[in-house]
């Protein structure tokens, strides 16, 4: 392998990396719905919440990936449970089905809208079919999931819960060749605030924004960006992605998952309409 190319692989999930919180709602009767649970940040979040004792319903179109997530939860000897529900998030009936399935498992209190995708192209060359697919998965589906889940959360004994949306540094600023992704992530910030505005305090909304995370999606993005710009994968990571950041390492999926663990907990009761920005200084510093 040439020195200019990186050996890219997502890190394995490990029990010792999970943030564990003692929380009255972190028990088996509490249900968390996690979208995108078949890989990456969604998988890590599902595993982390199950490790904290919750019943987790994982939604994803990738059935084999969901089965792998279930195996990881078993390997962790988690106190909670993982239930796979294959779901096409672009189909309204599927969204309604998975939300109802989550509510059938216990008290649906938490939703993590994490499912995502990426397409690298300049705006004039961006295929509208890709734009529609990306925004359907990353903006319309979270809206639809929140719409279906909010009545169930309110129907719990005390109405306490939270809906968390995966945003990004690209929900705070824009870069080249990611117009649809940036549009979706700016939109998800607005959805988060709308949830908080209607949640009346007990039902919170918050978002999680991170920089670059070494997931399978990110590996593909690095390779696509290298091809698009005619540079090496090392140059993509060190110059394009982390060039402005002060922390010169990508986050791991479990580090991001731990932000959801904290955000759903009672320790974060004042996190409402806000954004957990963990980006290594990328957004608010520059040379």
């Amino acid at each position: 392998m040439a020195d200019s190319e990186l050996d890219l692989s997502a890190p394995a999930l490990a029990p010792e990396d999970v943030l564990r919180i003692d929380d009255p709602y972190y028990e088996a009767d509490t249900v968390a719905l996690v979208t995108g649970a078949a890989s990456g940040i969604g998988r890590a979040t599902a595993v982390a919440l199950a490790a904290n004792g919750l019943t987790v319903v994982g939604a994803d179109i990738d059935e084999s990936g969901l089965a792998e997530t279930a195996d990881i939860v078993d390997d962790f000897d988690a106190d909670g449970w993982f239930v796979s529900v294959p779901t096409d998030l672009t189909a309204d009936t599927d969204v309604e089905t998975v939300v109802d399935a989550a509510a059938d498992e216990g008290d649906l209190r938490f939703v993590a809208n994490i499912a995502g995708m990426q397409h690298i192209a300049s705006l004039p060359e961006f295929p509208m079919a890709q734009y529609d697919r990306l925004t359907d998965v990353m903006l319309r589906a979270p809206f639809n999931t929140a719409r279906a889940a909010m009545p169930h959360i309110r129907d719990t004994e005390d109405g306490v819960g939270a809906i968390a949306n995966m945003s990004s540094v690209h929900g705070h600023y824009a870069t080249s060749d990611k117009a649809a992704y940036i549009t979706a992530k700016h939109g998800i910030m607005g959805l988060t605030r709308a949830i908080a505005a209607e949640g009346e305090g007990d039902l919170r909304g918050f978002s999680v924004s991170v920089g670059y995370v070494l997931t399978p999606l990110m590996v593909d993005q690095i390779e696509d960006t290298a091809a698009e710009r005619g540079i090496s994968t090392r140059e993509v990571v060190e110059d394009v992605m982390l060039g402005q950041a002060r922390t010169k390492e990508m986050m791991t999926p479990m580090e991001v998952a731990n932000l959801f663990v904290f955000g759903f907990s009672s320790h974060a009761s004042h996190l409402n309409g806000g954004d957990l920005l963990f980006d290594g200084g990328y957004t608010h510093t520059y040379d």
Side-chain angles (χ1 to χ4, degrees):
M1 181 178 62
D3 290 342
S4 61
E5 301 297 335
L6 292 178
D7 182 13
L8 299 171
S9 59
L13 303 178
E16 60 269 21
D17 294 332
V18 177
L19 173 66
R20 298 175 190 268
I21 293 180
D22 185 10
D23 190 278
Y25 293 108
Y26 282 14
E27 47 89 29
D29 288 337
T30 297
V31 180
L33 171 60
V34 179
T35 73
S39 66
I41 296 169
R43 168 178 286 172
T45 301
V47 171
L49 292 171
N52 272 275
L54 285 81
T55 295
V56 178
V57 172
D60 204 293
I61 200 168
D62 180 1
E63 294 188 41
S64 62
L66 286 174
E68 291 174 11
T69 302
D71 289 341
I72 294 171
V73 172
D74 288 342
D75 291 343
F76 271 48
D77 195 23
D79 292 333
W81 301 93
F82 180 78
V83 180
S84 298
V85 181
T87 306
D88 180 353
L89 291 169
T90 67
D92 291 354
T93 54
D94 274 25
V95 171
E96 293 169 4
T97 296
V98 73
V99 171
D100 288 344
D104 287 343
E105 293 292 333
D107 290 334
L108 175 58
R109 294 187 182 274
F110 305 123
V111 176
N113 286 310
I114 298 177
M117 58 183 298
Q118 182 61 277
H119 185 82
I120 304 297
S122 66
L123 204 156
E125 297 175 347
F126 210 100
M128 286 307 300
Q130 287 288 352
Y131 174 90
D132 291 339
R133 175 69 176 170
L134 193 151
T135 53
D136 278 352
V137 170
M138 295 173 56
L139 188 54
R140 188 181 188 279
F143 183 101
N144 200 16
T145 304
R147 183 184 66 85
M150 288 175 76
H152 290 291
I153 297 172
R154 288 174 170 145
D155 282 346
T156 60
E157 184 176 357
D158 56 9
V160 171
I163 297 174
N165 298 312
M166 189 76 234
S167 188
S168 167
V169 293
H170 288 98
H172 295 261
Y173 67 84
T175 59
S176 300
D177 301 327
K178 300 176 183 177
Y181 188 89
I182 290 161
T183 298
K185 292 307 185 183
H186 276 71
I188 207 73
M189 303 284 275
L191 174 61
T192 297
R193 294 162 187 162
I195 293 167
E198 296 189 19
E200 300 177 346
D202 291 328
L203 198 171
R204 296 181 292 116
F206 68 92
S207 57
V208 173
S209 291
V210 297
Y212 294 95
V213 185
L214 195 53
T215 64
L217 178 66
M218 183 55 63
V219 170
D220 291 341
Q221 182 179 333
I222 292 168
E223 293 171 347
D224 289 347
T225 301
E228 179 78 11
R229 301 193 182 192
I231 58 179
S232 69
T233 55
R234 182 177 297 277
E235 289 172 309
V236 172
V237 172
E238 295 181 355
D239 299 334
V240 178
M241 292 184 169
L242 299 180
Q244 187 173 308
R246 294 302 183 259
T247 304
K248 297 297 185 180
E249 294 180 357
M250 288 189 178
M251 290 183 75
T252 67
M254 190 57 76
E255 287 176 320
V256 185
N258 287 336
L259 299 178
F260 287 94
V261 172
F262 168 74
F264 285 140
S265 77
S266 300
H267 297 285
S269 60
H270 289 273
L271 175 62
N272 199 8
D275 180 60
L276 288 173
L277 176 62
F278 278 59
D279 69 345
Y282 205 113
T283 304
H284 296 302
T285 65
Y286 65 91
D287 291 322

